[in-house]
Amino acid sequence: QRKRTLSMSSHTKGVTSVKWGCEGLIYSASQDRTVKVWDSVRGILVRTLEGHAHWVNGLSLNVDYALRIGPYNHKGVAASDSKERMEAAKAKVQKVLKDNGLQYELLCSCSDDFTLFLWDPVRNRKPIIRMSGHQQPVNHVVFSPDGKYLASASFDNSVRLWNGRTGKFIARFLGHVQDVYMCCWSADSRLLLSASKDSTLVVWNLKTKKIKNQLPGHADEVYAVDWSPDGQKVASGGKDKVLKVWVT
């Protein structure tokens, strides 16, 4: 039986999102409008990231995908030796950072205040940039697997694409007719999928910035979506109580 070894308190309202980083840190977002950075070993508060004017709904790290797949390759195979597995996992994280000209991981937060903030949370409490443009609360944000892009889903019926290194706006994707709840990326960072209150899933082509495919089938709002790490399938679920798996 696992024991709870740390209890960290500083937020003054509910915690909405938690992320493990690759620098020994844990990040938490809250309805108290802040993002907090914690030392995962000692359980102490490192710094508080402030700037949002309303609830912080979600967090994403540019190394999320690399941390998720760890030592496994695109076929789901990993070395049997534990040292080799550790080195392979570290190499994936370092590749994302190196390819984007970074030394440390970047964090993005999204909020009910219609904005996103891009942070260098390991070293700085001030944001790199405040990302504005959405006309309604931003419900979800996610970095592409290669760390080069950010996608944000909003209740303004749109998905916005941003530069993952600078936070600069790139494009707006319009195709949904109601709130967009969530986005996810294909493993090669070439396709983006969005889930909406309008009961549909839309696949976007990053090169053309246009709709590649639409996936109707749910009978009601689609709340959640995830692309398999091997890039072969997509799973979605929503208000109709049904989980659907799509072959991409």
Side-chain angles (χ1 to χ4, degrees):
Q1 184 178 357
R2 296 185 182 275
K3 295 181 179 179
R4 176 173 53 85
T5 57
L6 294 173
S7 182
M8 300 173 283
S9 61
S10 180
H11 285 297
T12 58
K13 291 186 179 180
V15 176
T16 56
S17 181
V18 176
K19 286 282 184 182
W20 285 91
C22 64
E23 305 289 344
L25 300 171
I26 301 174
Y27 306 100
S28 60
S30 170
Q31 293 175 343
D32 66 10
R33 303 179 297 177
T34 70
V35 176
K36 292 188 182 288
V37 184
W38 308 87
D39 183 311
S40 65
V41 176
R42 295 180 293 168
I44 62 172
L45 181 64
V46 177
R47 60 181 58 88
T48 298
L49 310 180
E50 297 179 298
H52 283 297
H54 210 300
W55 294 356
V56 184
N57 293 322
L59 301 171
S60 183
L61 287 161
N62 60 347
V63 293
D64 273 344
Y65 182 78
L67 291 174
R68 178 183 182 182
I69 61 173
Y72 294 92
N73 61 21
H74 66 286
K75 295 182 179 179
V77 178
S80 57
D81 180 73
S82 60
K83 185 176 181 180
E84 288 183 32
R85 290 163 66 95
M86 182 65 73
E87 291 303 317
K90 287 181 178 179
K92 286 186 174 66
V93 170
Q94 289 304 314
K95 185 178 188 309
V96 172
L97 297 180
K98 182 179 179 181
D99 289 352
N100 288 281
L102 298 167
Q103 287 183 288
Y104 300 100
E105 61 199 18
L106 297 184
L107 178 74
C108 190
S109 57
C110 65
S111 170
D112 266 15
D113 67 6
F114 306 179
T115 73
L116 305 97
F117 279 87
L118 185 62
W119 311 88
D120 177 8
V122 177
R123 300 181 294 182
N124 204 325
R125 69 177 66 248
K126 294 183 179 180
I128 295 171
I129 189 173
R130 176 179 181 269
M131 301 149 66
S132 60
H134 280 296
Q135 302 302 308
Q136 290 292 329
V138 187
N139 192 57
H140 185 246
V141 62
V142 60
F143 272 97
S144 58
D146 60 13
K148 296 184 183 299
Y149 301 101
L150 274 161
S152 55
S154 171
F155 289 174
D156 65 7
N157 306 350
S158 77
V159 174
R160 284 184 174 249
L161 184 69
W162 315 82
N163 183 297
R165 176 66 182 85
T166 65
K168 297 294 185 182
F169 172 73
I170 297 175
R172 181 172 64 148
F173 296 159
L174 296 173
H176 289 292
V177 296
Q178 288 183 281
D179 303 350
V180 185
Y181 290 131
M182 193 173 183
C183 294
C184 66
W185 292 88
S186 62
D188 59 9
S189 300
R190 294 180 180 179
L191 299 174
L192 178 68
L193 184 70
S194 54
S196 171
K197 184 177 182 179
D198 65 16
S199 81
T200 69
L201 298 153
V202 176
V203 182
W204 306 90
N205 185 309
L206 262 289
K207 184 176 182 179
T208 64
K209 309 293 190 299
K210 295 181 179 180
I211 295 175
K212 181 179 185 294
N213 201 4
Q214 287 183 300
L215 307 176
H218 278 286
D220 213 324
E221 305 176 28
V222 187
Y223 296 142
V225 65
D226 194 23
W227 216 305
S228 62
D230 63 7
Q232 301 300 309
K233 296 178 181 179
V234 167
S236 61
K239 194 174 182 179
D240 61 4
K241 312 179 189 67
V242 176
L243 181 70
K244 290 185 177 290
V245 178
W246 315 80
V247 178
T248 57

